[in-house]
Structures are given as structure tokens and as C-alpha cells.
Amino acid sequence: MTQQKIAILGGGVAAMTAAVYLTEKDDWQSHYDITVHQLGWRLGGKGASGRNAQIAERIEEHGLHVWFGAYVNSFKMIETVYNKLDRPNSDPLSTWQDAFKPHSFVVLQEYIEQEWQTWPVDFPVIEGNPADGTLDLHFWQLVEMLVAWLRKFVDSIEYEVDKARKQTKLQTTKRRDRGLLQHLASQVRDAYDDIEDDVEDFFDSAHDELKEIWSTPSILGHQLQRLLTLRAQDKHLGEPKDRLVVWYVVRKLKRWLNSEVADMLDENDNIRRAYICADLAIAMVTGLIKDKVFSKGFGSINHLDFKQWLRNNGANETYSVESAPVRGFYDLVFGYVDGDFKKGDVEAGVAALAMLRIILCYHGGVMWKMQAGMGDVIFSPVYELLKQRGVKFEFFSQVESLTANTEADGTHYVEDIVITQQVSLINEQYEPLVDVKGLPCWPAQPLLEQIDARQADLIRSHNINLESFWTNWPQIYQAEFNKPLPTKTLKRGIDFDQVVFGISVASLEHLCPELLHQDAKLAAQAEHVKTVATQAFQVWLNKTDEELGFNYTPASEERPILSAFSQPFDTWAAMSNLLSKEDWPSNGPVNIAYFCSAFSCDSYPPITDHEFDKREKAKVKQNALNKLNIEMQPLWPNAYVAGQFDWSVIHSEPSLVGQQRFNEQYWRVNVDPSERYVLSVSGSSAYRLATDGTDFLNLYITGDWIKTGVNAGCVEAAVMAGMLTARAISGYPEHISGEFGFEPDGA
């Protein structure tokens, strides 16, 4: 077989996943010759991180990078990488279990009567390896698990209602509803032997036309779950009475909640929070049944925004639609068009499926915290493994354009790839990693000692950012050397046969205008799959969370990951677990706080505006100062003296005082086309293409912006995209968990 040359453009999660799976078979080099072309000095894309050699080798991230326990494909990929790399046990983070630790403590913020109130949630630990989980749950399995959570909240509410001596007995009067309960009774009686006496009485009364039918919320919820457990096992979708029973019971519970609980919501935090969760679960079950998602698929509701879909299905506008769990999800996916926090927009099918998977499909913790930077935990071992396997890496390779050609038979190909070589290396190969306390890491800046000395001096003296779309490096180079930066053109059939385009969707208009002009589907994807800028800052602290005044620590003593807070910077994570992987002296910080959110920006200037990213980064600094000066008091009350932020809690050089101490912290804006976060605005999934869905026979697009079983900006979507790309090229891997998540189950 002729060896195929594959050019991988970009080094983000999807591109590197594709490379991992393309090289999984022992004889892969007899089939493929793979070269990765990467802008700048490091892999990672939106997940890149770097070590600051000037300040204690501290970790500097693009944002907050935490994996969910339902990231089945992601954990399979990283487990494969660590197992195949087989680091010595004496090395730091030698296994993936060392690199990730389960995390269960999530915190939400409610804004009640002009005050922020903290809603701590300690998720149950579900034993197991996330890599052994599944996202391939059919309709009834999802509904069964959703109703199990509903029961939990309904039971707790019923207890409180009973204590308040309010109504917990429910009567069924309509003949149609009696028939539905008869169906429920017959199904459960035939399958279960351990039916309680009060349930037997309930079932008997349903069949006896002369008796009144009385039940309780807990009886209805329990028997409904029994029916759904049966359907989860037999996957039977064809009996409409099953769906009508579900519809009846959840609506019955909804009416009870509204009649008996509504007046208690402002008086009791626990009741209000249980109500919100129950109400959201009921709205989702109602919508899944009413909108016939079982026969049409989750994709059928993607024309609606998730909040609108909840409204359509009866969710309480005041308490539930704008609740902390819903706002927290929009924060999680940066779901705000142009970073405008008044323009939230997330596809209903994408959001509903993602929330169900996150809550129902996790193993270990609901989240998993990386025990170093994402670059160190993910991209260093990936790079080392691929390098061992023989994949070639061309760093400082800036893709400028892709051009097309059409053969006589009408077949379209990517013909040329034009690349700018950003720097000249002293040696032929760039060695990108540095050792930090025994761990291979990516530096926050390029290793200038490996770069031509004259160019290195220019980069240093002009503080050049070789990753910036708006960099003035070409102009500075031209002025110094009286010639442009060198370029090279990769030719189809000589330098490459297949192209894996792993650069994010917002780059298409800049790098591929010729392809967009020729392929209307690709052009539509570039237009409709939108992105948003994001912002992040990190502060190193002299006080623990408790010393700052955050007193909601669970028994496990896990540090909080918090969302649904004031905007911008609606998300905060306490990351003191990373201190041991940094290189601080004994009098160093005792805590780290990460913040991130969407960033407001609705237009982007041409590449010639070399100050744009600097101006936007300055806005992030001001946003961060405002956050600390004004908005963190509800969470860190002890960090304020007479209402003023006490800057001494920030770790910095002792000579710096007041707000100056922030100058040694870290902040960034992600406005570059390749760094903006991919959105799932309503209706956009219809424009997502498969990895091989363009008109160009040798082009494979990959990233969290293509068609997957997730269709949202996240690591799991990117990993699935990379797997899909590898399979389209090589036929491997055969199975990708959850890839048909938006397809109907049938019936």
C-alpha cells in the first residue's frame, strides 16, 4: 500500500486525538506519514497552558480546565495515552489516575432579594472509571434516570410539606387518568413481587370503579420509576400508554408542587432549591414526551433556545428558568452571543442532552480536577507518545492559506497549504518541553535559546506574542532583515495527500476564503457556527478559602468550583491543589483562585490593527480589578476591611502595595480566531458538517465545531471529533460512545 502523507494543521485536542488514533496500530507507519504544523511553540489550542519561568514556574491557563466524569471518550483517549507512554512509577503524574482526581463539590449562586446566596452541592460519588462508562443511553434510560433524580427532590419536599401539615394526599378523578393508572398498575404488578401494602391499595382502587383513587407524591414517583426501569431494560417505545403515564404523573406532581409548595419557596432555601430541581426535571420530562424526542431525536428541538424550551414545557419562569442551575450551564458553555450576558443562546437539544449526560452518566466524581496545568496533564504526554511513535512536529509554522483545485472529473481537492515560518531555529528540531519538578511541561514563552540569536533578541525586546493573530512580528522582522518572513508552500501529492484541518471554525474565513467560495456548505458552517471571546484571570493568595470567609467546605474538604455568580467572571474555582506542582519558596502562596467568563466583543478588526489584543487584554485587567474591589465580598467577606478589598491577601513582591499587587497576577483575553469558544446557538447544529463532509476529497475538518454527538464547545466534543477524523481516514476506532446522541431511538 502506498504511504499516505497526512498534514495535521493545529495542535488542539481534536487534532491530537486524531493523531493518537491514527497511530494506534503497530504498523501505522507503513500506511501514514504524519506531520503536525503548529503556530508558535506549544500544543493545546484553547486548552494550552504554560509555565512562567520568571515566577515560580506557576501554571498559566487559557481559562478553567476541568473534565466532567461523563467525558467517556476523553478519558478513554487519555487512559490510552498514559498506558502506552508507560512513565516510570517514580515520575510525577505517571498514570492518568495521578493526573486526574475526582471532584464532587460544586457551588452555585442565587441572587435573592438583592443578595447573593450560596448553594453548595456535594454530588454523590459513583464508583467506576469514566473511561468504562457510556453515553449510548436510549430514551427510556435517560428518562428513568431523570425520574430517579426527580424522586429524590419530590421526597424531600413531601417531607417538608407534611411537617407543615399541608396536603400530601393526591386524588385522581378523571376517567382517562384512571385508565392510565390501571396500565401502570398492571405493568408493575406483573414485574415486581415486593409491592407495599399502601401501593397495593392504590393499585386496587385504580381498578375498582367504585373506589376513589388516592396516592401521595412519593407513591406516584416510585411506581413511575418502576415502570421506567422496565422500559429501560426492554427499550420498548411503541406503547403510547407508557408515555401518557409518564406525562400524567409528572404533571400531577407539578400541580401538587404549585398548590402546596409555591408559598414556601421564599421562606426556606432547601425547599426552594429542591423545588427548582424538581420543576426543571418535570419540564424536561414533559418536553421529551411532548416534543416526541424518542421518535425525532434531540436534534429536533435544536431550533429553540434551551430557556425557551423550558418555558414552553411549563418551567416556572421566576424560580426555575432563570435559576442558578440553568444560569450555571450557560456560564459553563460561555453561551452568550458576542459575550453579551443579556443574549444567552444555547440549543435546547444540545443543552438538554448535555445536562442529562453530565448528571446521569458520570463515574467517580461529577467532575475531575487536573493535578497540573492542562498542557502538563494532556498535551505533554500526548506529545511525548506521538514523538515516540514517529509523528513529526513543525513548530512556529503559521498556516496562512489553503487553496483548492478541481480535477477534470469535477473532484475538488486542497491543492496547496501556504505556511509562514515564524522563526529560524538554531537546530533542525525545536524541543518544546521544560522540566518542572520532574514533570515535562510547556513553557509560557518560547525557548529563545533555541531560536536564532538576532531574532530572539527582537522577540524579547519587542515583547512579541507569536500566538497572536494581530502580532506585528512580520513588520518588525521585515524592518530588521529587509525581507519578509520566509514562507513555504506544501503541495498535494508531494508534501501531503490528506489534510486534517484542526484549527478552530473562526479561522476559516481568514485561512480558507477560496474553499468557502467553492463549498457553500462549508461557508454556511463558517457563518452559522458562531464563537465568543472569553477572559480569565488567576490570583495567588496568602489566605485559604476559609480564611477569606468561604465557609461551605464539605466533609471531604474539597475546594469549591463555583458558577452562576455575577458577571463578568461568573465562574470561580479554588485551585490550591496545583501549588505543589509549581515551584514556590517556603514563604509562597497558600491558595490559588481561577476566574473565567465570556468576554464582550461584537467585532474584530483586520490583522493590521496590531494593538487590538493589547487593548482587549487591558479591559480584562479592569474587569478583574472590579471583581476583586467590588464583587467578591459575598464569597470572601474576610478579604474586605470596611468594605474595601484588602490587597494584602494577594501574594506578590512585598514592595508592591495596594492594587499594585495585582500586577504580578495573571490575566488574558481569548479573542484570536483560533482561541474563541465555539457556541451552540439555536439552529446552528443544522450547519455542522461531518469530518469528511466538505466538497474537498482530501480535507478532514476536526474540532468541537464539527458534527459530533455533542455539538458543543468542550473537550468531549473535540475528542469525539478527533476520533471521527481518525476513523474516516483509517477505519479506527470502530466505536465512539454517544456519537448518535441526536438521532431518534425510533417508534
Side-chain angles (χ1 to χ4, degrees), residues 199-236:
V199 177
E200 279 288 6
D201 291 342
F202 166 56
F203 285 165
D204 287 342
S205 63
H207 279 93
D208 189 340
E209 301 286 342
L210 298 178
K211 288 185 177 179
E212 294 181 335
I213 306 175
W214 291 92
S215 60
T216 65
S218 58
I219 285 176
L220 284 176
H222 187 199
Q223 302 320 305
L224 177 61
Q225 188 175 3
R226 280 177 160 174
L227 174 65
L228 292 172
T229 298
L230 296 175
R231 294 300 169 258
Q233 294 167 355
D234 64 26
K235 303 183 182 181
H236 182 47

Side-chain angles (χ1 to χ4, degrees), residues 469-495:
F469 179 78
W470 288 276
T471 181
N472 60 348
W473 173 237
Q475 290 72 28
I476 290 172
Y477 182 95
Q478 173 84 45
E480 179 70 19
F481 295 101
N482 198 30
K483 61 181 179 180
L485 283 167
T487 62
K488 59 183 177 181
T489 300
L490 306 182
K491 296 284 189 180
R492 178 170 70 96
I494 300 173
D495 303 296

Side-chain angles (χ1 to χ4, degrees), residues 387-535:
K387 191 77 171 172
Q388 284 181 14
R389 289 178 169 181
V391 174
K392 297 186 284 291
F393 288 84
E394 297 286 343
F395 291 97
F396 305 104
S397 294
Q398 181 173 359
V399 177
E400 298 288 352
S401 64
L402 280 68
T403 60
N405 183 45
T406 303
E407 298 285 296
D409 63 359
T411 306
H412 305 299
Y413 290 93
V414 173
E415 189 70 19
D416 298 327
I417 304 169
V418 179
I419 290 177
T420 294
Q421 191 63 37
Q422 294 177 291
V423 300
S424 299
L425 298 173
I426 294 174
N427 299 315
E428 186 176 342
Q429 290 294 319
Y430 180 73
E431 299 298 331
L433 300 179
V434 295
D435 183 284
V436 179
K437 300 171 74 170
L439 188 66
C441 301
W442 301 89
Q445 298 296 328
L447 300 174
L448 296 180
E449 63 271 19
Q450 298 185 44
I451 295 172
D452 171 81
R454 196 170 161 193
Q455 294 180 30
D457 287 342
L458 282 175
I459 292 169
R460 187 183 297 110
S461 62
H462 289 274
N463 194 26
I464 297 297
N465 179 1
L466 292 173
E467 293 177 328
S468 172
F469 179 78
W470 288 276
T471 181
N472 60 348
W473 173 237
Q475 290 72 28
I476 290 172
Y477 182 95
Q478 173 84 45
E480 179 70 19
F481 295 101
N482 198 30
K483 61 181 179 180
L485 283 167
T487 62
K488 59 183 177 181
T489 300
L490 306 182
K491 296 284 189 180
R492 178 170 70 96
I494 300 173
D495 303 296
F496 69 90
D497 299 296
Q498 314 288 349
V499 182
V500 174
F501 187 89
I503 307 171
S504 196
V505 64
S507 298
L508 284 172
E509 64 174 308
H510 303 290
L511 306 184
C512 307
E514 186 174 318
L515 274 60
L516 299 183
H517 179 74
Q518 196 162 317
D519 186 343
K521 300 190 305 298
L522 187 61
Q525 180 170 24
E527 177 185 356
H528 293 282
V529 179
K530 298 184 181 301
T531 60
V532 65
T534 62
Q535 58 188 323

Side-chain angles (χ1 to χ4, degrees), residues 254 279 307 310-311 314-323:
K254 170 78 171 180
D279 191 53
K307 287 183 181 179
L310 290 174
R311 291 186 188 97
N316 186 298
E317 178 75 30
T318 303
Y319 291 96
S320 304
V321 174
E322 295 296 336
S323 65

Side-chain angles (χ1 to χ4, degrees), residues 124-386:
V125 173
I126 297 178
E127 296 300 325
N129 178 352
D132 297 331
T134 182
L135 301 179
D136 292 316
L137 300 180
H138 65 77
F139 178 81
W140 282 132
Q141 286 175 311
L142 289 171
V143 176
E144 178 206 16
M145 297 168 80
L146 185 55
V147 168
W149 279 83
L150 172 60
R151 276 190 63 205
K152 172 185 175 181
F153 298 117
V154 165
D155 288 353
S156 65
I157 293 171
E158 184 176 344
Y159 174 76
E160 296 291 339
V161 169
D162 190 56
K163 276 202 315 182
R165 298 184 180 181
K166 301 183 75 177
Q167 183 62 257
T168 60
K169 293 190 69 178
L170 307 179
Q171 187 178 21
T172 299
T173 57
K174 293 181 180 178
R175 185 169 188 82
R176 181 201 63 182
D177 297 339
R178 181 187 289 270
L180 293 175
L181 293 179
Q182 289 170 356
H183 175 73
L184 173 64
S186 63
Q187 296 295 306
V188 172
R189 274 176 163 164
D190 288 346
Y192 296 94
D193 297 326
D194 57 340
I195 298 176
E196 302 86 345
D197 290 342
D198 55 350
V199 177
E200 279 288 6
D201 291 342
F202 166 56
F203 285 165
D204 287 342
S205 63
H207 279 93
D208 189 340
E209 301 286 342
L210 298 178
K211 288 185 177 179
E212 294 181 335
I213 306 175
W214 291 92
S215 60
T216 65
S218 58
I219 285 176
L220 284 176
H222 187 199
Q223 302 320 305
L224 177 61
Q225 188 175 3
R226 280 177 160 174
L227 174 65
L228 292 172
T229 298
L230 296 175
R231 294 300 169 258
Q233 294 167 355
D234 64 26
K235 303 183 182 181
H236 182 47
L237 288 163
E239 174 53 74
K241 280 190 177 180
D242 291 339
R243 300 191 292 275
L244 291 172
V245 166
V246 176
W247 175 276
Y248 165 71
V249 171
V250 297
R251 288 176 66 82
K252 187 80 170 177
L253 294 174
K254 170 78 171 180
R255 287 192 292 271
W256 171 72
L257 288 170
N258 287 345
S259 66
E260 303 300 323
V261 183
D263 62 347
M264 305 170 69
L265 300 181
D266 294 329
E267 302 170 3
N268 186 307
D269 291 344
N270 291 330
I271 291 178
R272 181 181 65 256
R273 292 164 183 172
Y275 171 88
I276 288 169
C277 293
D279 191 53
L280 289 172
I282 289 169
M284 291 183 74
V285 171
T286 300
L288 295 178
I289 298 289
K290 179 172 67 68
D291 294 331
K292 299 181 179 179
V293 170
F294 56 91
S295 62
K296 296 180 179 179
F298 279 89
S300 66
I301 56 174
N302 273 335
H303 63 289
L304 295 170
D305 170 60
F306 181 58
K307 287 183 181 179
Q308 185 57 54
W309 184 70
L310 290 174
R311 291 186 188 97
N312 292 351
N313 292 293
N316 186 298
E317 178 75 30
T318 303
Y319 291 96
S320 304
V321 174
E322 295 296 336
S323 65
V326 175
R327 288 187 294 108
F329 183 82
Y330 278 67
D331 296 345
L332 170 68
V333 297
F334 301 97
Y336 304 98
V337 178
D338 297 329
D340 184 340
F341 296 109
K342 296 178 181 179
K343 292 164 62 177
D345 189 354
V346 183
E347 291 176 302
V350 166
L353 184 59
M355 291 182 77
L356 290 170
R357 284 172 165 173
I358 288 170
I359 296 172
L360 306 179
C361 299
Y362 73 87
H363 285 88
V366 68
M367 294 180 178
W368 288 68
K369 264 188 174 180
M370 298 178 202
Q371 299 305 298
M374 188 162 179
D376 316 330
V377 169
I378 307 300
F379 293 100
S380 289
V382 166
Y383 171 75
E384 290 182 308
L385 179 64
L386 293 176

